């Protein structure tokens, strides 16, 4: 059987239909043609080098058939495969149609190697033209061929993905396959239509020669890995040569800059807290002196204490602690924290204790869920991280105790928060003796109700109220601290939403703690004391929600 060949043929010019010419015009054209023929005869001779070169450029016979599967995902004006088709260098295979030769495809199990040359010479070489952005959703099962191969490590030279490893166009992939199989001249001919074509071969020449000198796929992979290891070693040696250690003066300047920035942040935080406390007190002219003091205590004093503690720390310098801490082995890159033990891991996130800039802290990280779609999972984690930050900031403005946010990593969905020393409300309740149980539960409910009413009055709904999401700071009931605002919502909050928030808390308390009647009574009393008008509207909605819950329990 004869081999099918691809030829480089210049496209014929499509002229317009000839119009009727005058006799005078025909005579003038004949005179011009005669003069041109005379000039050609005088300047060129038969069999000269110029004629041979021009004929060689016009037509070149490839040693076998070159083809392409086209999924129509690329821009036709920039698609290298379409350009090869227009130049009549390759042919197109319809999707679903079987190609008798070897296909360079992402579905290949083995790497292309020179030992594939006899098969390709007999049956041809084919590539797949699809977008790298859509490759995971491309129906590659429509590419049918007896042999599928992968290409080894190469670097793209096209204008879209220049410098990216393995992101080759179909023209680059075809040329690389030809070069590895030993058809170097064919590879150069194939890349002539592109301005960057020769640069691709020059850029990857060392690798292409290494692969072409191998025989089996295993040898190609070995040569690839040895090359990459050598490149990595050269990069490391080069970086060590130029990465000089900083001088003592540079280190001092860096420390001074870091200290200045830290002090600046503390001052801004201090001023902001002072403004918030004054603003909170000026919201209502009828607010009592006790409540004004509470606002200053909960909003302004924590920042003032942090500021004063920092200057005390700098004056003492604490040399013993600084010598004992080995930051080279315990500090993670990107933060200044030292990881310790995992405190808690729930369904949505894990909480790990750490040391951040010399103070005790915790890292809360929301991890991805394998059963969720990756895009949905990313959006949910980012949205809940944002909600948590906004919820804690809003709660602090309303005078409710929450952990201080030290650092935010939006990419990893990590928060570095203040470590609150003290038991959770759930554990604290479990340790109460029977003699003081009812009294302490009612007292706890009153504090909880008052804080919850402040949140609701300020337009903030927690969304996940349980006794596990509350901490008694230093074991003090008056310093009840709320955590986990990931499901919070704020804005124009309706009585329905506030009632649902109370109902969730009520069901959590009843299902977790025995004899919770005193706690719930104290809860409603504390809620009512803050704002009776709000209490009346929310209590009415809460009763409706309870009835709906009972009906659902009866029906199932």
């Amino acid at each position: 059987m004869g081999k099918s060949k691809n030829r480089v043929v210049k496209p014929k010019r499509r002229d317009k239909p000839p119009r009727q010419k005058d006799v005078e015009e025909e005579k003038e054209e004949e005179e011009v043609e005669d003069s041109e023929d005379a000039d050609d005869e005088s300047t060129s001779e038969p069999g000269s080098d110029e004629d041979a070169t021009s004929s060689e450029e016009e037509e070149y016979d490839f040693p076998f058939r070159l083809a392409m599967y086209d999924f129509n995902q690329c821009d036709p004006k920039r698609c290298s495969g379409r350009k090869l088709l227009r130049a009549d260098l390759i042919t197109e295979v319809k999707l679903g149609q079987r190609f008798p030769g070897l296909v360079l495809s992402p579905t290949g199990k083995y790497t292309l190697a020179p030992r594939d040359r006899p098969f390709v010479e007999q049956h041809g070489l084919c590539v797949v033209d699809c977008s790298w952005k859509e490759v995971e959703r491309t129906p590659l099962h429509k590419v049918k061929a007896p042999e599928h191969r992968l290409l080894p490590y190469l670097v793209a030279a096209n204008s879209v993905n220049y410098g990216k490893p393995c992101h080759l166009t179909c023209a680059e992939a075809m040329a690389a396959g030809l070069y590895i199989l030993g058809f170097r001249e064919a590879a150069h001919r194939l890349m002539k239509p592109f301005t960057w074509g020769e640069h691709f071969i020059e850029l990857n020449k060392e690798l292409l020669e290494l692969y072409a000198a191998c025989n089996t796929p295993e040898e190609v992979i070995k040569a690839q890995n040895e090359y990459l290891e050598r490149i990595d070693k050269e990069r490391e040696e080069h970086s060590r040569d130029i990465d000089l250690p900083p001088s003592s003066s540079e280190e001092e300047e860096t420390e001074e800059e870091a200290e200045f920035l830290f002090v600046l942040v503390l001052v801004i935080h201090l001023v902001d807290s002072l403004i918030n406390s004054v603003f909170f007190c000026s919201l209502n002219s009828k607010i009592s002196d006790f409540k004004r003091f509470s606002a200053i205590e909960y909003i302004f004093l924590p920042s003032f204490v942090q500021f004063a503690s920092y200057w005390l720390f700098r004056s003492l310098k604490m040399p013993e602690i600084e010598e004992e801490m080995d930051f080279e082995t315990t500090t993670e890159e990107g933060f200044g924290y030292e990881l310790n033990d995992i405190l808690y891991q729930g369904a949505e996130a894990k909480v790990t204790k750490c040391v951040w800039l010399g103070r005790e802290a915790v890292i809360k990280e929301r991890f991805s869920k394998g059963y969720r779609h990756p895009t949905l999972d990313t959006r949910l984690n980012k949205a809940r991280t944002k909600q948590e930050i906004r919820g804690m900031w809003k709660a602090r403005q309303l005078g409710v105790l929450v952990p201080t946010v030290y650092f935010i990593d939006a990419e990893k969905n990590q928060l570095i928060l203040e470590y609150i020393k003290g038991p959770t409300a759930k554990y604290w309740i479990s340790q109460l003796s029977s003699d003081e149980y009812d009294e302490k539960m009612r007292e706890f409910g009153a504090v909880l109700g008052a804080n919850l009413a402040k949140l609701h009055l300020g337009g903030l709904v927690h969304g996940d109220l349980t006794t596990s999401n509350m901490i008694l700071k230093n074991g003090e009931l008056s310093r009840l601290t709320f955590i986990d605002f990931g499901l919070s919502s704020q804005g124009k909050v309706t009585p329905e939403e506030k009632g649902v928030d109370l109902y969730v808390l009520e069901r959590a308390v009843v299902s977790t703690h025995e004899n919770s009647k005193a706690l719930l009574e104290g809860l409603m009393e504390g809620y009512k004391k803050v704002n009776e008008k709000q209490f009346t509207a929310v209590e009415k909605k809460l009763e409706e929600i309870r009835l709906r819950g009972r009906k659902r329990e009866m029906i199932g």
Side-chain angles (χ1 to χ4, degrees):
M1 293 179 64
K3 301 175 185 175
S4 59
K5 299 179 180 179
N6 299 77
R7 294 186 174 185
V8 180
V9 182
K10 288 186 176 180
K12 295 181 180 180
R13 182 179 177 183
R14 298 179 181 177
D15 296 327
K16 296 181 180 179
R19 63 182 179 86
Q20 193 69 26
K21 297 181 180 179
D22 298 333
V23 178
E24 294 180 359
E25 290 180 358
E26 291 180 355
K27 289 181 179 180
E28 290 177 1
E29 288 180 1
E30 289 177 1
E31 291 175 0
V32 172
E33 288 176 359
D34 292 339
S35 63
E36 288 178 353
D37 292 340
D39 292 339
D40 292 341
E41 289 176 1
S42 62
T43 56
S44 63
E45 298 179 0
S48 64
D49 294 339
E50 292 180 4
D51 292 338
T53 304
S54 61
S55 62
E56 187 180 355
E57 288 179 357
E58 288 179 1
E59 186 174 336
Y60 172 77
D61 292 339
F62 284 92
F64 43 81
R65 180 188 177 191
L66 303 179
M68 174 186 75
Y69 283 97
D70 189 4
F71 283 92
N72 296 313
Q73 294 176 350
C74 303
D75 183 1
K77 296 180 180 178
R78 306 175 72 178
C79 179
S80 61
R82 299 280 182 89
K83 191 167 186 177
L84 294 177
L85 281 174
R86 289 193 295 269
D88 200 22
L89 294 175
I90 63 175
T91 59
E92 184 176 0
V93 184
K94 293 182 179 180
L95 296 177
Q97 184 179 346
R98 186 176 178 82
F99 180 73
L102 185 146
V103 177
L104 298 175
S105 165
T107 59
K109 294 183 180 179
Y110 302 100
T111 305
L112 182 70
R115 77 173 183 183
D116 295 316
R117 175 171 176 149
F119 181 81
V120 173
E121 278 185 306
Q122 186 175 358
H123 301 287
L125 182 66
C126 184
V127 293
V128 177
D129 187 2
C130 64
S131 172
W132 281 106
K133 295 180 180 179
E134 302 291 331
V135 68
E136 293 183 358
R137 294 183 288 274
T138 302
L140 293 172
H141 64 276
K142 294 184 179 181
V143 178
K144 298 180 180 180
E147 296 293 339
H148 293 254
R149 291 289 185 271
L150 298 167
L151 280 174
Y153 177 89
L154 293 166
V155 179
N158 60 81
S159 57
V160 178
N161 293 314
Y162 185 87
K164 292 184 180 180
C166 305
H167 279 57
L168 310 183
T169 61
C170 58
E172 290 173 317
M174 180 78 78
L178 289 170
Y179 203 105
I180 292 171
L181 294 173
F183 302 101
R184 292 174 174 80
E185 185 179 358
H188 284 282
R189 293 290 179 184
L190 190 74
M191 299 304 286
K192 275 190 176 295
F194 307 97
T195 56
W196 44 264
E198 287 297 323
H199 181 61
F200 168 74
I201 296 176
E202 290 297 324
L203 184 64
N204 295 280
K205 192 166 186 179
E206 183 180 358
L207 279 170
L208 290 171
E209 291 292 345
L210 284 173
Y211 300 150
C214 300
N215 183 36
T216 63
E218 291 77 13
E219 293 176 359
V220 172
I221 294 298
K222 183 180 179 182
Q224 168 191 279
N225 294 338
E226 289 176 353
Y227 175 83
L228 293 176
E229 288 176 4
R230 177 165 59 85
I231 293 297
D232 290 339
K233 287 181 180 178
E234 290 177 359
R235 187 186 298 113
E236 289 177 3
E237 291 174 0
H238 181 67
S239 62
R240 280 200 296 268
D241 291 340
I242 63 173
D243 188 15
L244 299 175
S247 62
S248 58
S249 60
E250 289 177 347
E251 289 180 353
E252 290 174 1
E253 289 177 2
T254 305
E255 289 179 0
E256 289 176 0
E257 289 176 1
E259 182 178 350
F260 172 75
L261 290 175
F262 188 71
V263 172
L264 182 63
V265 170
L266 283 177
V267 171
I268 292 172
H269 190 51
L270 182 66
V271 173
D272 182 62
S273 301
L274 178 60
I275 293 172
N276 286 332
S277 61
V278 173
F279 175 72
F280 179 83
C281 295
S282 63
L283 282 177
N284 191 349
S285 59
K286 297 181 180 180
I287 195 168
S288 64
D289 294 337
F290 174 75
K291 291 182 179 178
R292 288 184 184 178
F293 177 76
S294 299
I296 294 173
E297 178 187 1
Y298 290 135
I299 298 176
F300 174 69
L301 285 184
S303 300
F304 179 76
V305 169
Q306 289 180 12
F307 190 75
S309 300
Y310 169 74
W311 284 111
L312 181 62
F313 176 82
R314 291 302 301 167
S315 62
L316 296 176
K317 292 186 179 180
M318 303 182 73
E320 296 84 2
I321 295 179
E322 290 179 355
E323 291 177 1
E324 291 176 1
M325 295 182 70
D326 183 11
F327 285 100
E328 292 183 359
T329 57
T330 59
T331 304
E332 286 202 6
E333 185 179 358
F335 300 104
Y337 62 79
E338 177 187 352
L339 290 174
N340 292 332
D341 299 328
I342 295 178
L343 295 178
Y344 175 78
Q345 179 162 346
E348 293 288 335
K350 66 177 180 180
V351 179
T352 308
K353 192 176 179 183
C354 69
V355 176
W356 187 82
L357 296 178
R359 70 183 72 184
E360 287 187 304
V362 295
I363 297 177
K364 182 173 183 179
E365 179 181 4
R366 296 186 182 275
F367 45 80
S368 59
K369 301 290 190 67
Y371 60 84
R372 286 197 300 229
H373 189 278
T375 304
L376 176 63
D377 184 75
T378 302
R379 288 180 180 176
L380 281 175
N381 283 338
K382 288 190 179 298
R384 288 176 181 173
T385 303
K386 281 184 180 179
Q387 287 171 352
E388 183 155 19
I389 297 167
R390 290 172 179 171
M392 286 192 290
W393 174 244
K394 183 70 174 178
R396 182 178 287 272
Q397 287 181 316
L398 296 171
V400 176
L401 287 180
V402 292
T404 303
V405 180
Y406 292 146
F407 196 88
I408 303 168
D409 187 349
E411 293 297 323
K412 297 181 180 179
N413 297 314
Q414 288 182 341
L415 299 177
I416 300 185
L417 307 171
E418 174 191 3
Y419 174 64
I420 306 297
K421 292 183 179 180
T424 62
K426 181 180 178 180
Y427 181 80
W428 180 80
I429 292 173
S430 67
Q431 299 301 308
L432 293 176
S433 62
S434 56
D435 297 337
E436 59 177 1
Y437 189 84
D438 288 343
E439 182 183 352
K440 289 292 185 182
M441 287 286 274
R442 186 179 294 276
E443 186 180 352
F444 170 72
V447 174
L448 174 57
N451 281 283
L452 191 55
K454 290 179 186 177
L455 295 178
H456 288 177
L457 193 61
L460 176 63
V461 169
H462 187 281
D464 190 20
L465 285 170
T466 65
T467 50
S468 297
N469 289 336
M470 306 168 196
I471 299 175
L472 278 67
K473 193 170 185 178
N474 297 327
E476 299 176 20
L477 192 58
S478 59
R479 306 188 72 183
L480 184 64
T481 305
F482 289 77
I483 61 173
D484 198 1
F485 283 79
L487 297 177
S488 63
S489 59
Q490 52 183 297
K492 191 176 180 180
V493 182
T494 62
E496 173 81 14
E497 292 174 294
K498 298 175 184 178
V500 170
D501 208 26
L502 278 170
Y503 183 72
V504 170
L505 174 61
E506 186 179 274
R507 298 303 300 172
V509 169
V510 170
S511 61
T512 307
H513 306 286
E514 294 181 306
N515 302 324
S516 56
K517 183 179 178 181
L519 189 155
L520 296 176
E521 289 176 355
L523 172 71
M524 300 310 291
E525 290 173 3
Y527 195 94
K528 184 179 180 180
K529 284 182 180 179
V530 175
N531 191 297
E532 290 191 13
K533 186 177 179 180
Q534 175 183 247
F535 172 77
T536 304
V538 174
E539 185 185 32
K540 184 179 179 181
K541 281 292 179 183
L542 178 60
E543 189 58 37
E544 293 178 9
I545 296 167
R546 286 171 180 162
L547 291 174
R548 294 201 296 265
R550 290 175 191 148
K551 183 178 180 181
R552 187 166 57 250
E553 288 175 0
M554 290 168 61
I555 296 174

